[in-house]
Amino acid sequence: MTLDPAPALDYLERAEMIVRRVRETQIAAIAQAAHICADTIAAGGLVHLFGTGHSRIPIEEIFPRHGSFPGFHPIVELSLTYHNMVVGPNGQRQAMFLEKVEGLGQVIMRNFVFGPHDSFIIFSNSGVNQVVIDVALEARARGMPVIAVVSIDHCNASTPRHSSGKRLIDCADVAIDNCSPAGDALVTIEDLPYPVGPSSTIGYAAVVNALKCLVAAELTKRGQPPLVLTSSVLIGSAASEELFERTYDDYRERVAQVYGGRRLTSPASR
């Protein structure tokens, strides 16, 4: 029996539309965010990354992986993002409950030391759950610029849950739309009452990789080219391994103060 490919083709067409919409509508916001990130990294600071649920995915897309570089600091709480169990210990119900516990964000932030040049990127498709608002408000209170990456359509369609009455886009210096629709799923199938095929991952990946490319270009323009994790397929095994070690050493230096140690004082000390 041959399957009708129409639902798969429908998804791919709609995914292409999301990337096209990011390109046509979000470049100015991405450039503004890239300027903040480049300023942070050039000054020896860190761009902290936070998200709950499946918004962990763009955090891991930024760093560490091939084509990525130090200066970004993932903050990932397993209690809010560890989904493979689904039920039982560390189950999805617990994670979804915890991301709505107001005050948890401040507790998370108390675990880190933030520097004077640091900034924050917060990912949340809905942009209304209490923990991400906590973290955004705390980051702003500590003087850090906040970049929000959300689905604007989904965020505006969602009722604020935080006692402040704010959505994430209300807490941000820069808001970037991942261009996924309200509800996330893209494809409607005949006789199936609910849409399938989530889309926010597509938009997230397009946004964060476009952002990384701009940040790398700006740092290079400033005479501070980043150490980029690079595949052995491109530069050979020995060079790739050597660059891997240098990149991770650089990252270790940058994050030392976050965990109570010493952070480099200027990029020149690398």
Side-chain angles (χ1 to χ4, degrees), residues 93-239:
R93 288 186 178 93
Q94 295 95 303
M96 294 180 70
F97 176 85
L98 288 172
E99 69 182 2
K100 298 179 179 68
V101 175
E102 190 166 332
L104 179 57
Q106 282 85 355
V107 174
I108 293 169
M109 294 283 277
R110 284 273 289 137
N111 286 287
F112 304 98
V113 177
F114 299 105
H117 304 292
D118 291 1
S119 55
F120 245 92
I121 305 178
I122 301 176
F123 299 91
S124 173
N125 199 55
S126 69
V128 296
N129 285 333
Q130 287 86 332
V131 172
V132 293
I133 305 301
D134 281 348
V135 170
L137 292 175
E138 186 68 18
R140 290 292 298 272
R142 293 171 183 243
M144 288 180 278
V146 172
I147 300 160
V149 186
V150 303
S151 163
I152 298 293
D153 286 348
H154 195 117
C155 188
N156 285 331
S158 302
T159 301
R161 293 171 175 165
H162 197 271
S163 62
S164 67
K166 294 181 181 294
R167 297 177 172 88
L168 184 55
I169 55 177
D170 302 321
C171 308
D173 297 279
V174 181
I176 302 174
D177 188 1
N178 68 26
C179 295
S180 63
D184 206 354
L186 292 178
V187 177
T188 300
I189 296 174
E190 186 177 0
D191 296 327
L192 182 64
Y194 311 110
V196 297
S199 60
S200 54
T201 306
I202 302 293
Y204 273 150
V207 166
V208 299
N209 284 299
L211 175 69
K212 272 193 296 189
C213 291
L214 277 179
V215 174
E218 180 60 22
L219 290 172
T220 302
K221 179 181 175 182
R222 298 184 189 190
Q224 299 179 29
L227 293 169
V228 181
L229 291 168
T230 303
S231 171
S232 61
V233 170
L234 298 178
I235 61 175
S237 296

Side-chain angles (χ1 to χ4, degrees), residues 13-141:
E13 181 178 349
R14 292 173 185 272
E16 289 176 2
M17 290 173 63
I18 287 172
V19 175
R20 190 177 309 119
R21 187 178 170 194
V22 168
R23 177 178 179 175
E24 293 173 352
T25 67
Q26 298 305 304
I27 292 301
I30 293 171
Q32 189 178 355
H35 188 80
I36 292 172
C37 294
D39 284 349
T40 290
I41 296 171
L46 289 168
V47 181
H48 303 282
L49 313 170
F50 184 79
T52 68
H54 288 91
S55 291
R56 171 180 178 162
I57 295 172
I59 294 175
E60 296 186 353
E61 184 70 15
I62 291 184
F63 186 83
R65 60 168 305 167
H66 283 151
S68 302
F69 48 90
F72 298 96
H73 174 233
I75 299 176
V76 174
E77 287 287 314
L78 291 182
S79 62
L80 299 168
T81 60
Y82 191 66
H83 293 325
N84 63 298
M85 293 298 293
V86 185
V87 297
N90 302 299
Q92 186 74 0
R93 288 186 178 93
Q94 295 95 303
M96 294 180 70
F97 176 85
L98 288 172
E99 69 182 2
K100 298 179 179 68
V101 175
E102 190 166 332
L104 179 57
Q106 282 85 355
V107 174
I108 293 169
M109 294 283 277
R110 284 273 289 137
N111 286 287
F112 304 98
V113 177
F114 299 105
H117 304 292
D118 291 1
S119 55
F120 245 92
I121 305 178
I122 301 176
F123 299 91
S124 173
N125 199 55
S126 69
V128 296
N129 285 333
Q130 287 86 332
V131 172
V132 293
I133 305 301
D134 281 348
V135 170
L137 292 175
E138 186 68 18
R140 290 292 298 272

Side-chain angles (χ1 to χ4, degrees), residues 3-11 187:
L3 291 177
D4 180 0
L9 294 172
D10 189 13
Y11 180 84
V187 177

